[in-house]
Every structure is written in structure tokens, then in C-alpha cells.
Amino acid sequence: MSERLQPGDPAPAFTLPDADGNEVSLADRKGRKVIVYFYPAALTPGCTKQACDFTDNLDLLAGAGYDVIGISPDKPEKLAKFREKENLGITLLADPDKTVTESYAAYGEKQNYGKTYMGVIRSTIVVDEEGKVERALYNVRATGHVAKIIKDLGI
């Protein structure tokens, strides 16, 4: 399991397929700020709430120079269904083998209803224009998280 990222760390590079199967790289976004968030599964209530919150605030975030990328272990086909069903405007990437999720320390031990298991840890990493971690937030809540990021970033 990877160490949690800290401000100033280089953001791990990645290239993953989007909902349409096109390759998207973090390197393609150099010179822009990127909010990379990790969520457990498309088409589930909490993940839908979070994705809709990011979509609802996309104009505000883009206006402040931020791109938003959501990453989950889902396959591109499921991400396409998720995007269509919820009218999502954010970029959704597939990480079925969880390599990128693990490199961002967003995969690990979780507890739910007294059971411990391995899974995606809902996390948000803000990457600056130089590709360095500006903020690393782990174990975030789906509800209210986007509003908190906007407030914390002073947007």
C-alpha cells in the first residue's frame, strides 16, 4: 500500500481510458490545476451525489482554472452508463486493476458495519499546474465535499 500523498509531492503520472475508451493522461493537463478524485463505484448513491456535485460546480471550478477527473475501478462501459444516466460533465476514468488508485494511496483497509475489508478510499487530490500535490484529502464524505473544496480553495 502506498504512503498517503502530501502537499509538495509529485502527483503520480497516469494514463487511463475514459468512458468512451479514449486514453487520458495527467500529463495532458500540465499547466492547469486538476482535481483528481477517487470513488468506489459508479451508479451508487454516494458516488452519484459526489459526481453530480462536481458536475453542478464544473463551470465555477473551470472558471478558476481547475479540471475535474473522477477515477473508479469501473470499466469504461459502466462509466458511460453513469455519465449518460446522471448527465455528468466531468471526465470519468476507468482503473479496473486499481494501479493508479493504489499509487495515490486511495485503496486500502476500510471498515463498514464492523467489518474490515480492502476497497477504494474516497479521496480527493488537488494537483497544481506543475504536477505537484497541492492538497491531499482522504476518507472524505460524498455529501458536502465539493462545497468544502470550493471554500478551501477560495473559489
Side-chain angles (χ1 to χ4, degrees):
M1 205 166 80
S2 297
E3 288 273 318
R4 288 194 167 178
L5 297 173
Q6 301 295 323
D9 287 349
F14 62 80
T15 300
L16 292 170
D18 68 8
D20 300 314
N22 301 313
E23 299 277 299
V24 174
S25 297
L26 182 61
D28 299 340
R29 302 290 202 279
K30 197 142 177 79
R32 287 194 55 82
K33 297 175 187 176
V34 186
I35 296 170
V36 182
Y37 82 97
F38 295 87
Y39 62 100
L43 300 166
T44 58
C47 297
T48 298
K49 172 85 180 106
Q50 191 176 19
C52 288
D53 280 355
F54 271 120
T55 294
D56 292 347
N57 288 287
L58 198 55
D59 289 343
L60 179 69
L61 290 163
Y66 289 90
D67 292 341
V68 178
I69 296 175
I71 299 177
S72 75
D74 299 302
K75 296 200 176 338
E77 303 77 40
K78 187 173 179 189
L79 296 178
K81 276 187 198 140
F82 187 33
R83 181 186 63 201
E84 304 313 314
K85 181 174 188 272
E86 302 299 338
N87 263 335
L88 301 175
I90 56 177
T91 302
L92 299 173
L93 302 183
D95 184 23
D97 62 7
K98 301 176 202 71
T99 309
V100 174
T101 305
E102 287 179 4
S103 73
Y104 276 77
Y107 185 82
E109 220 170 70
K110 294 173 69 167
Q111 287 193 324
N112 204 7
Y113 302 114
K115 289 195 167 95
T116 301
Y117 60 98
M118 296 299 282
V120 175
I121 298 164
R122 194 179 302 277
S123 308
T124 301
I125 311 301
V126 179
V127 181
D128 70 14
E129 302 91 337
E130 302 298 313
K132 295 232 184 309
V133 174
E134 189 177 305
R135 289 166 194 264
L137 309 163
Y138 293 95
N139 295 310
V140 302
R141 296 208 170 281
T143 306
H145 177 59
V146 176
K148 183 179 178 341
I149 288 175
I150 290 168
K151 183 174 178 254
D152 289 353
L153 294 174
I155 300 170

